Amino acid sequence: MALLLRAATWGLSSGRGYCSRGTQGSLREVFVAALRAVVGPPHVSTSIAVREQHGRDESMHRCQPPDVVVWPQNVDQVSRLTALCYSHGVPIIPFGTGTGLEGGVCAVQGGVCMNLTHMDRITALNLEDFSVVVEPGVTRKALNTHLRDSGLWFPVDPGSDASLCGMAATGASGTNAVRYGTMRDNILNLEVVLPSGQLLHTAGPGRHFRKSAAGYNLTGLFVGSEGTLGLITAATLRLHPVPEATVAATCAFPSVQAAVDSTVHILQAAVPVARIEFLDDVMMDACNRHSQLNCVVAPTLFLEFHGSEQALVEQLQRAEEITQHNGGSHFSWAKEAEERSRLWAARHNAWYAALALRPGCKGYSTDVCVPISRLPEILVQTKEDLKASGLTGAIVGHVGDGNFHCILLVDPEDPEELHRVEAFAQQLGRRALALHGTCTGEHGIGLGKRQLLQEEVGAVGVETMRQLKATLDPRGLMNPGKVL
Amino acid sequence: MALLLRAATWGLSSGRGYCSRGTQGSLREVFVAALRAVVGPPHVSTSIAVREQHGRDESMHRCQPPDVVVWPQNVDQVSRLTALCYSHGVPIIPFGTGTGLEGGVCAVQGGVCMNLTHMDRITALNLEDFSVVVEPGVTRKALNTHLRDSGLWFPVDPGSDASLCGMAATGASGTNAVRYGTMRDNILNLEVVLPSGQLLHTAGPGRHFRKSAAGYNLTGLFVGSEGTLGLITAATLRLHPVPEATVAATCAFPSVQAAVDSTVHILQAAVPVARIEFLDDVMMDACNRHSQLNCVVAPTLFLEFHGSEQALVEQLQRAEEITQHNGGSHFSWAKEAEERSRLWAARHNAWYAALALRPGCKGYSTDVCVPISRLPEILVQTKEDLKASGLTGAIVGHVGDGNFHCILLVDPEDPEELHRVEAFAQQLGRRALALHGTCTGEHGIGLGKRQLLQEEVGAVGVETMRQLKATLDPRGLMNPGKVL
């Protein structure tokens, strides 16, 4: 059987439609039977509907379905499936919650999509060590629900209820990064199935120490590798103590510059702000409408503070002094949990609020990050570019990190508008690069930013990345077409 | 000339003494002349004294001098020297302040030592972006002196006044890591000369953003690579605001367990302690004598708190409630800068205080790190092992990270004792591994811990590291014999 299968030029044949007949079709049937033998027949699907569900994420990249979807039940099955695919030259695409924004799951060469969500155990929780081990099916919210009475939580929060291992794979971050760091800062160890099917523990099996200087930082290499080097089958995460008290506030500003200046001054004053989010006037207007807020339509900061009751009083006072010095409004408070949730729900629903600006349109989110001193300049330029392009777009950002998104609305039936959106996004990426920034703060490279990545890291950088990829995935079968 | 030189089997010949005559000698003279042509004659030395200065660090690893020492004056010279060495098969050993503790600079195959300390400029300082770019000759203290009036500082503090690029190369950390993270957490970008002589900017040229999801994390790969993948010629570091106020305190405990429990409870209570250091009774006794302290001889915590005046009051109160609940003494305060400096000078001079326990002896520092819950157990075991071995050793540790050092004293003229020290260190490393820890929290693998690294990361981990090394340094000339 192996011989027969080896002959298949999987994913390169033109007959990608799975129902094709003839030699290719029957070879594939034999291969699919081999997959079924590993995971059991209920855990393999070749139905068009299922494949299409797995061929896209939440971005505008067009659906590119895999040839087969499998649901491994444990890491041993992942190893066997991976070895099987690899030895037969079949592309492998890891799949978590499908909430990515850069087309990371599109099966550009077909192949086998591994939906890892059936592996959903929390396999270890060490409260004294502030660490937890999660499988790929465990989402951010599920973990925090599990931790509810423990006094600890996992703060990295990209908004959507993503798989934590998927967040590791994309190097996600979100609203709490300014205080608690990104996924890169909060992963202690990863279990990775390499293309060969071998199991790698990036920091050694079972290890969950806080720091180490032992050899090359393999954990760091796999975080953000977007499934192109191996499949993450478990992540050991660093937990944080739940703050004793939390207060949120909003503050409106006369200008973008004033909002950003306030952010820099708050950081310089070492106020340990937990979240500091910027929304432009368009975004505020959209949020007011969509989430029934009653905020001033102006450049606005959403802030959140974590600490003891006593510490919060001081943090708020200092922050408000700074914002008022920069012409900001008085803080509008949200101290009670319910009120605070409403505010942050509005922030997290910014995407949907923006979509509601032009019903029937789809959204595209840019994701640049610049040194914080360059934020006012690029935000002002971006608003001018928006006007000039005639596009509808709202700006929202993790301003404490210099990271912001422009949510653009596009009529999917209008190829000319789609083209303008893409051109705008490329231009914004290049603006960020010109200001010593990056083309992606947290969404990853995926399909659409490969050219920008080259411009960002330069020829030697890209060549070094290519060498690493070729070393760990010599046949180029791990999530092909992404990153490089 | 190139042809002649290429024939030289540099570093593999038996005649390592530089004064050897004959073909090897003259080939080398031609090569040294080529080095001189790059950097100028005053910046090359083959004198025995200079070579021996560069053949060892502060550890007990025996001196293994390079064949030549060169002092490049700029990155272009580093590139040219590296390309020259690489094309002729000559090993390259980067050298900063020589303050390493694992033999990282020993020239085990001879070759060219590149002393990078003449490159000592601070080439960019972006106060609003909290970032700075330093060359390899800039030390931790020099940077903080330069920053004195800026309101910012660089907190990673391994004790010695090491080169910041060297600290990047070893993945250093030290006393402030519990609050501010290690070098891994505080590097935004690295300029690296690859073995080919090509210049790599790990995050792209000139970039200094706070976070990114753009491609593989090359910065993370080079941090802690101990000069085995390339030469770090500049580091972009993340700065932090200088705390408004600082208070230090000491607290004695009836047992090791009580001190560690206090640490865990302080962290769980989210008290943002800046430093929390453990010293055992032997270490306290030594510090009392060496630094004229007047502390109780008992397991002790040295603590430091950073924040506003008001925040400090609350932090201290909470921390003291916790320590007293665990049977600790009342805090002994050091609020004034001078008094605080004396206390931390005593902590940083722990190495010399330990050496003074047995005048004439040399010191060897172990460096394991375990999950914090396992600390009491390993500390108690370690003290028992010390007794059983008949060795003199004092324990000091960054207990908030689970990282501790046992400073062992050994008579360099006593090979049997040296053997016992080595056996003790190996045993301690294995104890840490058995408790899901690491064999090195911050000193690196260097020469002495290569076997332990294999046990720590396992066969697949080591093989993956070997593949990365072979990819980036195919001829194995970058600081050979280290890490792997």
Side-chain angles (χ1 to χ4, degrees), chain A residues 326-373:
Chain A
N326 284 291
S329 68
H330 283 285
F331 276 8
S332 172
W333 306 89
K335 205 171 170 217
E336 296 313 313
E338 201 184 328
E339 208 183 340
R340 216 169 56 230
S341 295
R342 205 167 77 91
L343 199 62
W344 286 107
R347 164 61 190 88
H348 282 318
N349 286 327
W351 173 258
Y352 302 101
L355 288 185
L357 288 174
R358 273 183 72 193
C361 282
K362 292 207 162 188
Y364 175 88
S365 175
T366 66
D367 170 42
V368 300
C369 179
V370 294
I372 196 166
S373 66

Side-chain angles (χ1 to χ4, degrees), chain A residues 282-328:
Chain A
V282 179
M283 193 75 250
M284 273 318 304
D285 191 28
C287 286
N288 276 342
R289 294 187 210 185
H290 183 77
S291 301
Q292 289 85 51
L293 296 181
N294 198 15
C295 293
V296 180
V297 176
T300 301
L301 290 180
F302 277 36
L303 302 107
E304 190 168 283
F305 302 90
H306 295 172
S308 66
E309 295 282 354
Q310 194 181 320
L312 286 191
V313 172
E314 194 191 13
Q315 287 183 35
L316 278 159
Q317 191 188 336
R318 294 196 163 207
E320 198 170 16
E321 271 168 28
I322 290 167
T323 52
Q324 290 197 13
H325 179 78
N326 284 291

Side-chain angles (χ1 to χ4, degrees), chain B residues 315-392:
Chain B
Q315 286 183 35
L316 279 158
Q317 191 188 336
R318 294 197 164 206
E320 198 169 14
E321 271 167 27
I322 290 167
T323 53
Q324 289 198 13
H325 179 78
N326 285 290
S329 67
H330 282 286
F331 276 7
S332 171
W333 306 89
K335 205 168 173 222
E336 297 313 313
E338 200 183 327
E339 206 182 341
R340 216 169 55 229
S341 295
R342 205 166 76 89
L343 199 61
W344 286 107
R347 163 62 191 88
H348 283 317
N349 286 328
W351 172 257
Y352 302 102
L355 288 183
L357 288 174
R358 274 182 71 192
C361 281
K362 293 208 162 187
Y364 175 89
S365 176
T366 65
D367 170 43
V368 299
C369 180
V370 294
I372 197 167
S373 65
R374 314 309 291 271
L375 257 181
E377 171 178 1
I378 195 168
L379 285 169
V380 168
Q381 285 170 347
T382 302
K383 288 186 80 66
E384 281 167 10
D385 289 349
L386 267 176
K387 247 184 229 163
S389 69
L391 294 168
T392 306

Side-chain angles (χ1 to χ4, degrees), chain A residues 164-471:
Chain A
L164 292 154
C165 290
M167 285 164 61
T170 42
S173 48
T175 50
N176 284 306
V178 65
R179 164 99 174 238
Y180 299 95
T182 71
M183 288 305 280
R184 292 200 198 277
D185 306 304
N186 285 285
I187 299 182
L188 304 175
N189 202 347
L190 291 173
E191 180 186 80
V192 177
V193 172
L194 295 174
S196 62
Q198 281 186 305
L199 203 59
L200 169 70
H201 295 90
T202 54
R207 308 201 181 281
H208 57 282
F209 38 71
R210 276 276 284 264
K211 69 177 195 186
S212 173
Y216 306 143
N217 183 0
L218 299 181
T219 307
L221 183 60
F222 282 89
V223 176
S225 62
E226 303 189 36
T228 64
L229 303 178
L231 295 111
I232 297 173
T233 50
T236 306
L237 306 174
R238 181 170 168 184
L239 301 175
H240 295 259
V242 173
E244 183 183 312
T246 300
V247 180
T250 63
C251 182
F253 290 87
S255 67
V256 170
Q257 181 82 47
V260 176
D261 283 350
S262 297
T263 305
V264 172
H265 297 159
I266 286 171
L267 296 177
Q268 280 174 340
V271 178
V273 63
R275 289 169 157 158
I276 186 161
E277 297 284 302
F278 171 80
L279 294 85
D280 78 345
D281 51 343
V282 179
M283 193 75 250
M284 273 318 304
D285 191 28
C287 286
N288 276 342
R289 294 187 210 185
H290 183 77
S291 301
Q292 289 85 51
L293 296 181
N294 198 15
C295 293
V296 180
V297 176
T300 301
L301 290 180
F302 277 36
L303 302 107
E304 190 168 283
F305 302 90
H306 295 172
S308 66
E309 295 282 354
Q310 194 181 320
L312 286 191
V313 172
E314 194 191 13
Q315 287 183 35
L316 278 159
Q317 191 188 336
R318 294 196 163 207
E320 198 170 16
E321 271 168 28
I322 290 167
T323 52
Q324 290 197 13
H325 179 78
N326 284 291
S329 68
H330 283 285
F331 276 8
S332 172
W333 306 89
K335 205 171 170 217
E336 296 313 313
E338 201 184 328
E339 208 183 340
R340 216 169 56 230
S341 295
R342 205 167 77 91
L343 199 62
W344 286 107
R347 164 61 190 88
H348 282 318
N349 286 327
W351 173 258
Y352 302 101
L355 288 185
L357 288 174
R358 273 183 72 193
C361 282
K362 292 207 162 188
Y364 175 88
S365 175
T366 66
D367 170 42
V368 300
C369 179
V370 294
I372 196 166
S373 66
R374 315 309 292 268
L375 257 181
E377 169 176 2
I378 195 169
L379 285 169
V380 168
Q381 287 170 345
T382 302
K383 287 185 80 67
E384 282 167 9
D385 289 347
L386 267 176
K387 247 183 230 163
S389 67
L391 293 168
T392 305
I395 293 175
V396 60
H398 316 309
V399 77
D401 300 317
N403 181 203
F404 73 93
H405 310 295
C406 185
I407 304 174
L408 300 160
L409 298 166
V410 57
D411 176 355
E413 307 299 317
D414 182 347
E416 188 275 331
E417 191 174 62
L418 188 60
H419 181 74
R420 268 188 295 147
V421 163
E422 285 168 355
F424 175 90
Q426 293 282 320
Q427 183 184 21
L428 179 53
R430 296 213 165 86
R431 278 203 194 285
L433 297 185
L435 298 172
H436 302 305
T438 172
C439 67
T440 170
E442 53 185 16
H443 296 170
I445 295 297
L447 278 175
K449 290 188 173 169
R450 289 171 295 173
Q451 175 57 36
L452 287 170
L453 176 65
Q454 296 198 16
E455 296 171 27
E456 179 166 333
V457 299
V460 179
V462 166
E463 180 51 28
T464 305
M465 290 185 191
R466 270 192 216 289
Q467 288 174 354
L468 297 176
K469 166 77 172 174
T471 301

Side-chain angles (χ1 to χ4, degrees), chain B residues 141 261 268 316 335 371 400 403:
Chain B
K141 287 183 183 170
D261 283 350
Q268 281 174 339
L316 279 158
K335 205 168 173 222
N403 182 203

